[in-house]
Structure formats: C-alpha cells, structure tokens
Amino acid sequence: MALPNFLKPKHSYSLKRIGSNNDGGYLVGKNSLKKANCLISFGINDDWSFELSLKKIRNNIPIFCYDDQLCFKFLLKNFIIQLILVSSNRNFNLLKNRLNFLITYFFFLGKVNYCKKRINNKNFNKIFLNKKNILLKIDIEGSEYRILDEIIKIQNKLEGLIVEFHEVHLNIKKIKKFVKRLKLQLIHIHGNNFCKLDKFNDPTALELTFEKNPSILGSNSKIPNFLDNPNNKKKNDLILKFI
C-alpha cells in the first residue's frame, strides 16, 4: 500500500539534521533554526541529543523542556535494569548509553529549563504565554493527539514544528485534519523503523517537519532526504510511498 498524498511534501526544502544520527535526530528547516527565539520541547525520555545539538548551533537560544518522566531515579533505574540484563543480552552499547545518560544528566539540566510536567490541553496555553517565533518539538508517545487543537490555536507563534505521530494507521483522519488546518508547510517526512508496520506495510510512526517560511530548493520532494538515517541503525531505513 502507500501513505496518503497529503503527507508528501510539495517541494524539496532547505533542511539541517539536528540531534543524533539515528533515533532522537530530526530534520529541521534552516529558516526555523535562524529565526526561532526559543525551543519548546515536549517529551525527552532519556534522549536530549536534539536539544544539546541545537544549543551548540544557537548557544544563546532558551530551551524549555517538558517531560513527566525524566528524573535521575528514572535514569538510574534504566541503568540498573540493563546492568542486570547485559550478561544475557550482551548489549554493552546499550549499557554504555545508559551510563552516559546518568553522567550527562546534570550537564543537560544546566543547559535547559526543565519542568517535570505532563502536557495536556489544560496547561498547554500557559507554556506559550509571552513567547513568539517558537520552534516546537513534540514526541510524547501518542499524547500528541490530545493537543492538536491547541497547536492550531497558537500556530501564529511558531516558526517551525517537529512532531512524531504514533499509531498513524488508527489516527490518519486526525492527522489529515490537523495538516489541513495548519498554516505551516509540510517540508519533511520520515518513518520511524523502531515501530511496527501496519497491515499494508506502512509505518505506524511518522516524523513530520513543518515550517512557516521554508526555502524551496527544487520542485520535487526528495524522500528519503540525503540527511535521513534509520532510527534503529540495526535495520534498514523505511522507504515511503504515496498515493
């Protein structure tokens, strides 16, 4: 099968990869990176490569992170679990990553404004008060659908938007409605190969990037982009098709 055509960018745009080369990294419009006055990031878990990568590019940009799970105890628990499992799964790279998260946790907190809070439609608007020219990044494991209407209400404040949609096959009508109402242009799409495929072999998790005033490089979109990498580096990247 194939993805609906409204998910295909109309052109080829000027993009830059921010964050990890694999999971946690996203393609962002270059104009968003230049014009954004701040980054608001919903959903961190144990990967802040995007936030720290942006900080290296824009050292003075304020970054506001919201996650109801992230804390030292959460990271320590993950490390201990992997320490116990490593004798059987032999995944020393994962153990190394868990340890690295523990070591860099406080460094990360020193670079951003972090709030241990779950985002919902009740507290959403307070976060955006007195802010404009925002780059908004959302990866909240399915809860994104609860705040789509709220995003539309504040869309004039946004320079760029990166959002990962989960369970796409169950929510495609909601995504279509959102994309149609959003004034920002869809400039990139990427499938997350960590997540399962649906019965038509289409990805159930999609990373979408939008921008207010994108720079067009060509008339035809290039999917995958040369900057794309698989989220799970042990598997091939997903090839997206459209109808």
Side-chain angles (χ1 to χ4, degrees):
M1 195 62 176
L3 296 171
N5 204 48
F6 76 87
L7 289 173
K8 183 180 181 180
K10 294 180 179 180
H11 305 286
S12 175
Y13 300 94
S14 182
L15 302 167
K16 185 178 180 65
R17 188 175 188 90
I18 303 295
S20 166
N21 285 331
N22 301 106
D23 198 41
Y26 297 92
L27 269 59
V28 186
K30 287 187 177 180
N31 286 339
S32 302
L33 296 175
K34 293 178 182 178
K35 297 179 181 180
N37 289 336
C38 68
L39 167 67
I40 296 179
S41 187
F42 294 162
I44 303 297
N45 199 341
D46 57 6
D47 188 342
W48 39 79
S49 63
F50 182 92
E51 289 72 20
L52 293 186
S53 179
L54 179 61
K55 200 70 173 174
K56 289 180 180 179
I57 299 172
R58 299 275 311 276
N59 182 55
N60 294 322
I61 191 171
I63 297 177
F64 303 91
C65 300
Y66 298 85
D67 194 299
D68 67 329
Q69 190 168 229
L70 178 63
C71 66
F72 185 75
K73 289 183 178 179
F74 167 73
L75 298 173
L76 181 60
K77 178 183 177 182
N78 284 348
F79 172 72
I80 292 173
I81 291 173
Q82 182 55 29
L83 185 62
I84 295 171
L85 294 176
V86 73
S87 61
S88 57
N89 63 24
R90 314 299 293 176
N91 195 337
F92 293 100
N93 284 333
L94 180 57
L95 180 64
K96 181 180 178 181
N97 288 341
R98 299 299 188 199
L99 178 60
N100 184 61
F101 293 143
L102 282 173
I103 295 172
T104 61
Y105 172 68
F106 294 104
F107 173 77
F108 163 70
L109 292 184
K111 293 286 186 179
V112 304
N113 302 281
Y114 169 64
C115 181
K116 192 169 187 258
K117 180 184 293 186
R118 179 184 291 270
I119 303 302
N120 54 49
N121 55 8
K122 294 181 180 180
N123 59 29
F124 183 94
N125 289 328
K126 294 180 181 179
I127 294 171
F128 292 86
L129 288 175
N130 303 318
K131 294 184 179 69
K132 61 181 180 178
N133 303 111
I134 301 162
L135 176 60
L136 175 60
K137 168 182 163 281
I138 303 172
D139 184 5
I140 48 179
E141 305 302 324
S143 294
E144 61 272 9
Y145 298 105
R146 301 178 183 177
I147 59 172
L148 294 184
D149 288 338
E150 306 307 317
I151 295 173
I152 294 298
K153 292 177 184 177
I154 58 92
Q155 63 175 305
N156 290 334
K157 292 175 173 278
L158 301 180
E159 287 293 335
L161 168 66
I162 306 105
V163 55
E164 183 161 347
F165 286 103
H166 302 82
E167 301 295 336
V168 171
H169 57 305
L170 301 178
N171 295 282
I172 194 65
K173 290 183 179 179
K174 293 179 181 179
I175 298 172
K176 183 176 183 179
K177 180 181 178 182
F178 174 74
V179 172
K180 283 191 172 184
R181 295 172 67 196
L182 190 67
K183 296 177 183 178
L184 279 67
Q185 294 185 49
L186 175 64
I187 62 173
H188 186 62
I189 181 172
H190 181 256
N192 187 333
N193 69 340
F194 264 118
C195 299
K196 63 183 180 180
L197 301 177
D198 65 17
K199 63 181 180 180
F200 300 112
N201 288 322
D202 294 324
T204 58
L206 292 172
E207 302 163 354
L208 302 185
T209 302
F210 302 86
E211 190 168 58
K212 180 184 288 186
N213 295 304
S215 294
I216 298 174
L217 298 179
S219 58
N220 297 318
S221 61
K222 297 179 180 179
I223 304 295
N225 189 279
F226 73 97
L227 296 171
D228 277 324
N229 289 315
N231 296 69
N232 183 353
K233 61 183 178 182
K234 294 182 179 180
K235 297 180 180 180
N236 292 330
D237 210 355
L238 299 176
I239 303 300
L240 303 184
K241 297 180 180 179
F242 301 88
I243 53 174

